[in-house]
């Protein structure tokens, strides 16, 4: 899709489709006010109306699509959602002109709302949409930035939507390697042998039952060397059967999404490089399949992590925290300014916050606040959950330094308490997005499946440090 800006007024633009925002109760202009009364279009949020051009109409486009904004005409998030909602309809028009004022919100709405993962279909839908003209002032930097951000979200969505049989741990590593090489990033992959030598017992224990060996993926953007460095860890369970605590079919059927944390962090470091951000970023993804076989880790087994800490495995379906522990310990060795991890980790955050809100827990209230603010700017709401110290007693083990679960109550907090000892006292925040990363229904910003949640938030956070 080619994107350009035009200073022309909406009436003069020549295109197959002209998209006009309409604020509730306001006349959209172009002589269309009288038509709206006849069809009961008020400009309310969620309304849209397609009008083919008639002889004598005061515009040159072949058709006009009126998009209701309600009372939020000046709200960037409302613009992004409104454009995203109608984006699938734009594919039927080769040239589309959009008269919304916010360039970045328009591009992100078009790209993300129009996203489709249909490469496995025998007859993917053709794409006629080839040119987007935004009727706004000069903002080439905004166009470039929005394109890079949309690319990053799409990259994460594509990884998460890929069937698990086509994205085993080393496949994920190869996709990361190809991305890193294309962006001029440093990349390192530790295979099973290197994991054994390095003491990554959590990753090895989770991946022990699979015919596809685990690995650890590290991708680094150096930054300018003086603006600090951020360490990112993302859970990379490419498929989660639950291990010997095997999941039911309903819970297992979407578990290709259990590497969404890893996909998110790879997408973020990709964007950091393409945007040329001065802050250094290192993304680490512990990748494994949590499967069932005679070599599976058993309840009661003890694993030794990268930092020497030991864990009694009391629930093989609480595997994400086992691999994240190794990744955080490894990142902490490099003493980044902050540590941030993301994971589809617990059912409790799903029950507490639902499908719209990502949970955040951390040891540093300033960092947590900065991430919540970045989420608000990106239109990706977050809510802080407590790192409640008394619950740490639930992780006490008779045979190891800790066990990996402490009961079903407050599991999001308990999982964070499990991870904290692996952060070496560094400022740290943990994002639990078990629901927001993957939805079973379409939204204004895309179809059912992977959402790319937190990619835009984390990019915005990194930009705020620049």
């Amino acid at each position: 899709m080619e994107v350009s800006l035009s200073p022309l007024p909406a009436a003069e633009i020549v295109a197959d489709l002209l998209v006009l925002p309409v604020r509730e109760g306001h006349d959209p202009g172009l002589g269309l006010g009288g038509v709206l009364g006849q069809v009961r279009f008020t400009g309310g949020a969620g309304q849209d109306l397609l009008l083919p051009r008639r002889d004598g109409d005061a515009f040159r486009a072949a058709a006009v699509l009126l998009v209701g904004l309600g009372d939020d005409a000046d709200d960037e998030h409302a613009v992004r959602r409104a454009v995203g909602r109608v984006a699938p309809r734009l594919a039927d028009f080769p040239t589309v002109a959009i008269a919304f004022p916010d360039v970045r919100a328009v591009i992100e709405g078009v790209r993300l709302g129009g996203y489709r993962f249909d490469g496995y279909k025998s007859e993917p839908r053709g794409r006629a949409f080839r040119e987007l003209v935004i009727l706004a002032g000069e903002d080439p930097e905004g166009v470039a930035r929005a394109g890079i951000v949309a690319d990053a979200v799409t990259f994460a969505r594509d990884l998460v939507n890929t069937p698990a049989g086509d994205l085993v741990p080393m496949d994920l590593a190869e996709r990361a390697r190809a991305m890193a090489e294309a962006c001029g990033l440093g990349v390192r992959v530790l295979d099973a042998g290197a994991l054994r030598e390095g003491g990554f017992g959590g990753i090895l224990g989770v991946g022990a039952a699979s015919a596809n060996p685990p690995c650890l993926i590290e991708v680094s953007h150096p930054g300018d060397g003086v603006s600090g460095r951020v360490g990112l860890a993302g859970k990379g369970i490419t498929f989660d059967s639950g291990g010997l605590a095997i999941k039911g079919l309903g819970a297992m059927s979407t578990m290709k999404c259990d590497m969404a944390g890893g996909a998110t962090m790879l997408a973020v470091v990709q964007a950091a490089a393409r945007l040329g951000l001065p802050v250094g970023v290192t993304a680490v993804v512990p990748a494994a399949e949590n499967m069932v076989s005679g070599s599976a880790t058993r309840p009661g087994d003890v694993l030794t992590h990268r930092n020497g800490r030991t864990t009694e495995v009391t629930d093989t379906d609480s595997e994400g925290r086992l691999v994240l522990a190794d990744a955080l310990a490894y990142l902490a060795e490099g003493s980044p300014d902050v540590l941030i991890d993301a994971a589809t980790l617990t059912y409790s955050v799903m029950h507490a916050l639902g499908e719209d809100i990502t949970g955040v827990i951390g040891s540093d209230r300033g960092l947590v606040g900065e991430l919540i603010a970045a989420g608000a700017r990106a239109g990706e709401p977050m809510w802080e959950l407590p790192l409640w110290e008394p619950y740490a007693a639930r992780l006490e083990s008779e045979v190891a330094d800790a066990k990996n679960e402490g009961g079903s109550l407050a599991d999001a907090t308990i999982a964070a308490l499990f991870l904290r000892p692996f952060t070496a006292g560094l400022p740290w925040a943990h994002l639990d997005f078990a629901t927001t990363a993957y939805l079973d229904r379409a939204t204004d910003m895309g179809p059912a499946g992977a959402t790319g949640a937190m990619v835009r938030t984390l990019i915005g956070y990194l930009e705020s440090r620049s």
Side-chain angles (χ1 to χ4, degrees):
M1 178 182 70
E2 180 183 342
V3 179
S4 61
L5 303 178
S6 174
L8 290 175
E12 296 182 17
I13 198 74
V14 177
D16 297 295
L17 180 68
L18 170 63
V19 182
L20 285 178
V22 183
R23 189 168 181 173
E24 189 161 16
H26 286 62
D27 190 325
L30 303 184
L32 297 173
V35 176
L36 303 191
Q38 301 173 24
V39 296
R40 298 183 180 178
F41 179 90
T42 66
Q47 289 187 326
D48 57 80
L49 178 65
L50 181 65
L51 297 172
R53 186 180 183 280
R54 303 162 302 174
D55 289 342
D57 277 337
F59 55 88
R60 301 178 66 188
V64 170
L65 179 63
L66 303 178
V67 179
L69 282 177
D71 292 326
D72 298 323
D74 299 322
D75 182 82
E76 174 188 347
H77 310 317
V79 170
R80 187 185 295 109
R81 290 192 300 269
V83 174
R85 182 173 56 80
V86 300
R89 303 182 66 175
L90 308 187
D92 297 326
F93 300 89
T95 303
V96 176
I98 297 185
F100 285 72
D102 193 310
V103 170
R104 297 184 182 187
V106 167
I107 293 174
E108 290 178 11
V110 167
R111 291 281 307 280
L112 304 183
Y115 170 88
R116 292 296 179 269
F117 186 79
D118 57 8
Y120 284 82
K121 291 182 176 290
S122 57
E123 296 182 4
R125 180 185 176 186
R127 289 290 185 267
F129 185 20
R130 62 174 184 265
E131 184 178 355
L132 172 65
V133 181
I134 304 174
L135 307 186
E138 289 295 319
D139 188 10
E141 291 183 2
V143 171
R145 192 261 186 196
I148 289 169
V149 170
D151 285 346
V153 176
T154 298
F155 177 77
R157 287 181 176 182
D158 284 349
L159 287 176
V160 177
N161 282 328
T162 299
D166 289 342
L167 199 74
V168 301
M170 288 305 295
D171 291 330
L172 179 58
E174 288 308 309
R175 295 278 287 272
R177 190 189 302 277
M179 177 274 289
E181 292 175 352
C183 295
L185 294 165
V187 59
R188 184 185 186 205
V189 177
L190 302 183
D191 62 14
L195 293 176
R196 280 189 290 273
E197 292 178 7
F200 294 88
I203 302 172
L204 290 167
V206 172
S210 177
N212 300 300
C215 62
L216 183 135
I217 306 160
E218 180 180 5
V219 181
S220 297
H221 164 60
D224 62 10
V226 297
S227 298
R229 191 157 49 87
V230 173
L232 304 176
K235 176 183 173 184
I237 302 298
T238 58
F239 188 76
D240 181 18
S241 72
L244 292 179
I246 194 164
K247 296 177 182 288
L249 176 60
M252 198 188 304
S253 61
T254 60
M255 282 297 103
K256 66 181 183 181
C257 80
D258 217 19
M259 40 65 69
T264 296
M265 297 318 196
L266 291 174
V268 170
V269 73
Q270 175 199 68
R274 294 187 62 197
L275 290 169
L277 298 185
V279 63
V281 184
T282 299
V284 169
V285 180
E289 283 189 319
N290 188 27
M291 302 294 275
V292 179
S293 76
S295 60
T297 293
R298 305 158 181 80
D301 284 352
V302 175
L303 306 178
T304 303
H305 294 281
R306 170 73 179 185
N307 65 350
R309 188 172 171 84
T310 58
T311 298
E312 178 189 5
V313 179
T314 52
D315 183 355
T316 63
D317 197 21
S318 293
E319 84 298 330
R321 64 200 72 178
L322 297 173
V323 300
L324 276 175
D326 279 345
L328 285 168
Y330 177 69
L331 273 171
E333 293 169 9
S335 299
D337 297 304
V338 299
L339 286 173
I340 303 169
D341 74 75
T344 47
L345 207 62
T346 67
Y347 291 109
S348 67
V349 80
M350 300 167 66
H351 297 151
L353 300 179
E355 299 175 329
D356 296 334
I357 306 170
T358 293
V360 56
I361 308 175
S363 63
D364 186 283
R365 300 299 299 281
L367 173 60
V368 168
E370 290 169 3
L371 289 170
I372 291 173
R377 292 192 299 270
E380 296 185 316
M382 305 167 71
W383 195 266
E384 183 179 9
L385 298 174
L387 194 65
W388 184 245
E389 189 65 38
Y391 289 168
R394 300 184 187 181
L395 294 168
E396 293 176 359
S397 167
E398 296 294 328
V399 299
D401 295 326
K403 55 186 180 182
N404 74 321
E405 59 85 34
S408 61
L409 301 179
D411 190 36
T413 289
I414 290 170
L417 287 165
F418 174 86
L419 293 173
R420 184 180 55 180
F422 299 93
T423 64
L426 294 167
W428 158 71
H430 161 66
L431 309 182
D432 190 339
F433 63 164
T435 305
T436 57
Y438 194 92
L439 298 177
D440 60 5
R441 59 175 177 80
T443 70
D444 290 344
M445 295 304 292
T451 64
M454 293 295 103
V455 172
R456 292 187 299 110
T457 290
L458 289 171
I459 293 170
Y461 165 73
L462 294 176
E463 289 177 319
S464 74
R465 293 181 60 95
S466 301

